[in-house]
Amino acid sequence: MPADSPADSRTHASAPTSPAVSVSGWGRTAPTTAWLVRPRTHEEAAAAVRECGERGAIARGLGRAYGDAAQNAGGAVFDMTGLDRIRVIDTTRTSDTGAPAATVVCDAGVSLHHLMEVLLPLGWFVPVTPGTRYVTVGGAIGADIHGKNHHVSGSFSRHVLAMDVLTADGTVRTVEPGSALFDATAGGMGLTGVILSATVQLLPVETSLMAVDTERAADLDDLMARLTATDHRYRYSVAWIDLLARGAAMGRSVLTRGDHAPLDALPERARARRAPLAFRPGQLPAAPSFLPEGLLGKASVGLFNELWYRKAPRSRTGELQKISTFFHPLDGVPHWNRIYGRSGFVQYQFVVGYGKEEALRHIVRRISERGCPSFLAVLKRFGEGDPGWLSFPMPGWTLALDIPANLPGLGVFLDELDEEVAGADGRVYLAKDSRLRPEMLTAMYPRLDDFRALRAELDPRGVFRSDLSRRLAL
Amino acid sequence: MKDAFGTPQSLLVLGGTSEIGLATARRLVARRTRTVWLAGRPSPALEKAAAGLRDMGADVKTVAFDALDPESHEESLGKIFTEGDIDMVLLAFGVLGDQARDEDEPLAAVRVAQTNYTGAVSAGLVCARALQSQGHGSLVVLSSVAGERARRSNFIYGSSKAGLDAFAQGLGDALHGTGVHVMVVRPGFVRSKMTAGLEEAPMATTPDAVAAAIETGLRRRSETVWVPGALRLVMSALRHAPRPVFRRLPL
C-alpha cells in the first residue's frame, strides 16, 4: 500500500525519525501507528515540534501509562528517553524547618529508576514513586503521579520547583508553581507542551531499606477503620484487597505500611550496615512474549488471592524490606503486562471523597459480586488534593484494579461504575484510562474548561494531541 | 478513537440501508459511537435509516455513494475522512441477485459481480488508505459463507463473495502493522429482506446476531468471524468434501 501520510512530506533535518511503528500503552489495548521521533537535545525537540505535521505530536516516556495517553495515531510520538541527563544535584540547601534538603535538576526523560541509582548512595530519595520505577520525570509530572505517601506528601508535582516546557510555538518557557501553565501541565497528560527538564525536591534517607509493618484486615469495614485510625502514623501506606472474596470476607485485605529505616534500625552485625545506602533491585527473567489468553481467570486469581491473604502475617512490625520489594514488586518481572495475553488488560482507578464511603462500599460489593478477576487491587487514602487542573488525587479513598480486557461485558460494567463514581463526585485516573466516555469528564474534572481554554490559547492549531485527547475531546 | 474494547466512536457504513449494517450501527450507538456516516444511493430508505439512528442520540450524516460507480469513490468517500477520523468502516453493501435469471442474462450477473466485488475493491482501497494515514481504525468487510465454496444454487453471488473475501484477507495482510485492522465477517444464511422468500438454510442467523459477533470480533481484534461460530467447522468439512460428493449434497 502506498503510504499517504503527512509524515512523507516532512523533512527531518534535526531529529532522527523511525518508520511508522505500532504504539500502545502498558495495558496493550488499542494500539495505533505513529512516527517515532527521538530528540537528543532541547533544540532537536523544538525542531521536532515545529515539523510534526498536521496530526500533531505527543511526548512519551517509558510507556507505563496504561491507556492511550502516549499514543498519537498517524502523527508523531516523541520518545523522550533520549533526553536523559541529570544536570545538577544540589545538596547544600536546608528546608524551612532547618532539616537538610536537596534538589535535582534533570531532563524529562530521566527515569525514577536512574534517579534512585544515582541519588540513593548519596542519601536521597525521590519525593514520590508510583508502583514502578520505570517512569520518567516528564511522565511523572504529565500524569501528576502519586504514591503510597500521598496522604503525607501529595503528588509528584508538589515537589517540582520549576520546569522547562516546550510549547506549541517552539519556545521554551520556564514555569514555576502557582502559574497557570504549571497547573495545567501538572497532570495535563502532555497536552500543554513537551516537558524538557525539571527541578525536583528530594527526600533525605539514612538507608536504602524500609521498615515495614504488615497486618491483615478481615473485611472492608475493618480495613477502612484501621486506615482511618492509623494512616497518619506512616509515611507510606497501602492495602492490597481481595476483590474476589465475597460475603462476610468482602474486602479482606493486607495492609503494608512503613517508612525509610533509620540507620540505627539495622541490626548491629547485619551485612546492610556496611553499605546502608546500596540500591540493588533484583530482577527475574522477563515474561515470555506470547502467553495464552485467560491465564488470569477467576479460578487462578481466586487461588492466588487466597494464598496471598493467608501467607500475610496477621500482624508484624519493623520488618526490613528492600525499596524494590516495598514499592515496586512488579518491576522484578520485566514485561509482566504480557501475562494478560494478546488482548491486554485495563486498569480501573477511581477516587471518591471522604464522606462517600457508602459509594466505595457499593462499588467494592459490585466488583466482588461480579467476580472480576483482579489480583492487583489496591486501596489507599489520599491526603490534600494538588493544584494541577487535571490532577487525579483529591482527599478520599482510591481503589485501583487490573482486569483482563477480554472479559465479556466489561465495558458496560465499567461504564456503570463510572456513573457511581461521578455520582459520588469522584473521578477516574486519566493516566490509567483507556475507555471512559467523554461525557463523564466534565463531572469528574471541574477545571476541564480552564484546561481547554488554556490549550486553545497556547496551542491554537492543536499541535499536542494524543489518542487520549481525541477520545475524550480534552 | 476506539476504546480498550475496540468500540468505535465514529462509524462509516458503506451500504447505509443494509440490515446488518444498521443492526451493527444500532448496537454500537448504544455503546460509544456518536458519529455515524451512512453511505448509499440517496433514497427515502437511507433517510429513514439515518432518522432511526438520530433518535438514538447519534450525530448521523448521509452521503451519496454508488458501488457501481467506482470512479466516484475517491471523491465521495475521501471527503468523509477530511471531516474527522473514522474509527470503523463497515463494508456492508452487496446484492444477492437471482441465480436463475442471472445465468440467462450475463449482464445481470456482471452487475452482481461489479457491485459485490469491483465496487468493494475500489471503496475498500479508498477507505484503507484513509485509515492508514490516520494510523488507526477497523475495516470490517461483510463476506459470506457462500464465498467459501461455490455451490450450484448461487455460484454467481458466491463467486463474487469469494473474490471479496480473498481481497479483504490480502488487504488485511497488507495493512498488518499499520494500526489498521481488517476483519472479514462470514455470516451464514441471514434472515433479512435480502433473503425474503428464499428457503432457509440450516444454522440460519439474524442481522442482530451478526452485529453482536462483529462487536465481539472488534474486542478480540479478530481477523475472521463466522456467524454462527459453528459454521467454521461445518464449512471446513464442506471445503474438503470431494466434488462428486459436494455436487450431490442438498445445498
Side-chain angles (χ1 to χ4, degrees):
Chain A
M1 291 278 306
D4 181 24
S5 154
D8 284 348
S9 56
R10 299 200 312 252
T11 53
H12 297 286
S14 46
T17 311
S18 81
V21 290
S22 179
V23 181
S24 78
W26 190 242
R28 308 213 305 165
T29 55
T32 60
T33 303
W35 305 88
L36 210 60
V37 184
R38 193 162 189 268
R40 302 285 312 211
T41 62
H42 292 191
E43 292 71 33
E44 284 184 2
V49 165
R50 282 194 299 272
E51 293 163 13
C52 69
E54 63 188 48
R55 285 188 70 87
I58 194 76
R60 179 180 175 95
L62 287 161
R64 259 30 174 219
Y66 287 81
D68 48 8
Q71 317 175 193
N72 179 24
V77 166
F78 299 157
D79 173 0
M80 298 300 289
T81 58
L83 281 160
D84 58 354
R85 273 182 299 174
I86 297 177
R87 290 166 185 267
V88 182
I89 301 170
D90 176 1
T91 57
T92 61
R93 302 176 174 224
T94 45
S95 72
D96 301 342
T97 57
T103 58
V104 60
V105 183
C106 63
D107 283 344
V110 171
S111 70
L112 297 193
H113 174 79
H114 186 47
L115 282 181
M116 285 175 209
E117 280 180 331
V118 172
L119 296 170
L120 261 172
L122 304 175
W124 300 94
F125 193 60
V126 294
V128 167
T129 175
T132 171
R133 297 184 299 281
Y134 298 106
V135 296
T136 60
V137 168
I141 298 169
D144 201 13
I145 59 163
H146 56 269
K148 298 177 176 49
N149 56 347
H150 188 277
H151 60 293
V152 178
S153 309
S155 64
F156 193 86
S157 64
R158 196 183 292 184
H159 307 272
V160 174
L161 299 179
M163 57 181 158
D164 282 351
V165 180
L166 170 62
T167 46
D169 53 8
T171 61
V172 178
R173 302 170 198 231
T174 302
V175 288
E176 292 183 354
S179 66
L181 184 53
F182 188 98
D183 291 346
T185 304
M189 307 311 292
L191 295 168
T192 55
V194 180
I195 300 165
L196 293 175
S197 62
T199 308
V200 183
Q201 279 181 310
L202 301 171
L203 181 75
V205 293
E206 292 181 16
T207 72
S208 62
L209 291 171
M210 307 299 297
V212 182
D213 292 359
T214 309
E215 59 191 289
R216 282 199 256 174
D219 59 43
L220 187 62
D221 288 332
D222 182 21
L223 170 67
M224 288 163 75
R226 283 172 196 248
L227 284 172
T228 308
T230 55
D231 234 13
H232 61 276
R233 288 198 238 135
Y234 297 91
R235 179 185 294 275
Y236 300 101
S237 169
V238 72
W240 168 85
I241 172 165
D242 179 1
L243 285 177
L244 280 177
R246 294 207 213 183
M250 187 193 84
R252 68 177 179 178
S253 34
V254 180
L255 279 73
T256 43
R257 298 180 294 174
D259 204 341
H260 299 279
L263 193 54
D264 56 22
L266 306 190
E268 279 296 334
R269 313 202 22 200
R271 212 157 55 103
R273 273 269 175 167
R274 288 202 294 274
L277 287 164
F279 177 56
R280 291 193 206 94
Q283 202 150 66
L284 297 166
S289 58
F290 183 80
L291 283 166
E293 296 277 298
L295 221 49
L296 296 181
K298 246 171 95 173
S300 55
V301 173
L303 183 66
F304 170 87
N305 286 3
E306 189 70 37
L307 293 172
W308 196 253
Y309 181 75
R310 303 238 171 250
K311 114 175 188 352
R314 222 170 274 283
S315 173
R316 177 169 64 197
T317 55
E319 185 197 359
L320 293 176
Q321 286 186 357
K322 291 208 283 187
I323 274 173
S324 50
T325 312
F326 181 71
F327 289 107
H328 318 118
L330 283 169
D331 282 348
V333 185
H335 301 294
W336 64 262
N337 54 341
R338 290 175 179 165
I339 60 175
Y340 285 92
R342 206 170 61 94
S343 43
F345 68 105
V346 293
Q347 176 149 102
Y348 191 66
Q349 180 167 8
F350 67 91
V351 55
V352 291
Y354 295 124
K356 304 285 185 184
E357 284 76 10
E358 208 34 60
L360 176 69
R361 274 190 205 99
H362 192 243
I363 292 172
V364 169
R365 195 176 310 126
R366 285 192 65 177
I367 295 170
S368 88
E369 276 167 8
R370 191 179 192 280
C372 279
S374 175
F375 79 114
L376 288 170
V378 162
L379 185 81
K380 75 162 266 98
R381 281 162 65 88
F382 278 152
E384 271 311 295
D386 304 284
W389 292 349
L390 298 189
S391 280
F392 168 66
M394 60 188 240
W397 302 89
T398 182
L399 177 67
L401 53 145
D402 284 345
I403 318 167
N406 63 6
L407 207 66
L410 183 60
V412 177
F413 179 66
L414 293 181
D415 284 351
E416 289 168 10
L417 296 193
D418 288 340
E419 303 275 351
E420 294 204 29
V421 168
D425 302 319
R427 57 175 70 132
V428 301
Y429 190 10
L430 295 182
K432 298 192 171 174
D433 177 55
S434 53
R435 30 113 345 242
L436 186 68
R437 266 178 303 162
E439 302 93 279
M440 304 303 295
L441 212 58
T442 18
M444 291 180 169
Y445 288 92
R447 298 213 61 181
L448 185 65
D449 286 341
D450 295 328
F451 182 78
R452 285 179 175 147
L454 185 97
R455 272 191 79 206
E457 185 192 316
L458 274 182
D459 184 6
R461 287 189 303 123
V463 169
F464 296 110
R465 264 187 259 179
S466 62
D467 289 358
L468 176 85
S469 80
R470 279 192 201 96
R471 182 167 56 80
L472 295 179
L474 279 174
Chain B
M1 296 302 303
K2 283 194 284 187
D3 71 0
F5 310 112
T7 323
Q9 290 180 317
S10 55
L11 169 70
L12 163 61
V13 183
L14 302 178
T17 53
S18 145
E19 275 176 82
I20 295 177
L22 290 173
T24 308
R26 276 195 297 275
R27 183 170 266 273
L28 295 176
V29 167
R31 296 275 294 116
R32 284 288 187 283
T33 308
R34 293 293 169 267
T35 310
V36 182
W37 289 86
L38 294 181
R41 274 175 305 204
S43 70
L46 188 65
E47 292 310 320
K48 186 164 163 262
L53 291 170
R54 270 186 210 115
D55 287 346
M56 293 181 69
D59 174 16
V60 188
K61 288 172 212 160
T62 57
V63 62
F65 166 77
D66 184 355
L68 287 171
D69 182 14
E71 269 159 37
S72 68
H73 290 178
E74 188 86 55
E75 199 200 328
S76 59
L77 300 178
K79 78 173 180 210
I80 296 173
F81 288 86
T82 61
E83 292 197 26
D85 284 11
I86 301 289
D87 300 335
M88 169 175 162
V89 178
L90 177 59
L91 203 155
F93 61 81
V95 290
L96 190 56
D98 176 337
Q99 178 74 24
R101 183 201 63 198
D102 295 348
E103 282 180 36
D104 284 343
E105 288 178 37
L107 281 181
V110 165
R111 201 148 53 241
V112 172
Q114 280 178 334
T115 307
N116 294 356
Y117 179 67
T118 319
V121 166
S122 89
L125 287 174
V126 169
C127 292
R129 193 165 60 189
L131 292 174
Q132 197 187 358
S133 59
Q134 277 179 189
H136 73 101
S138 288
L139 174 62
V140 179
V141 177
L142 282 189
S143 175
S144 166
V145 292
E148 190 67 5
R149 187 160 187 190
R151 290 181 288 137
R152 170 67 192 92
S153 57
N154 68 353
F155 65 82
I156 294 173
Y157 172 79
S159 66
S160 71
K161 285 292 185 183
L164 171 65
D165 197 290
F167 165 75
Q169 287 182 58
L171 187 61
D173 291 339
L175 292 174
H176 186 75
T178 64
V180 182
H181 161 226
V182 178
M183 183 163 91
V184 178
V185 182
R186 295 187 189 133
F189 185 96
V190 181
R191 291 183 204 108
S192 66
K193 65 185 179 206
M194 191 197 240
T195 57
L198 294 183
E199 193 186 335
E200 203 167 278
M203 303 174 90
T205 185
T206 61
D208 281 328
V210 180
I214 288 174
E215 196 185 14
T216 308
L218 289 171
R219 193 182 77 226
R220 295 183 180 157
R221 277 181 261 159
S222 307
E223 293 178 319
T224 320
V225 172
W226 297 80
V227 198
L231 271 177
R232 182 191 291 263
L233 280 176
V234 174
M235 289 313 295
S236 174
L238 285 182
R239 189 167 57 229
H240 296 105
R243 275 184 83 179
V245 177
F246 185 75
R247 226 173 259 146
R248 256 177 273 145
L249 290 176
L251 293 167

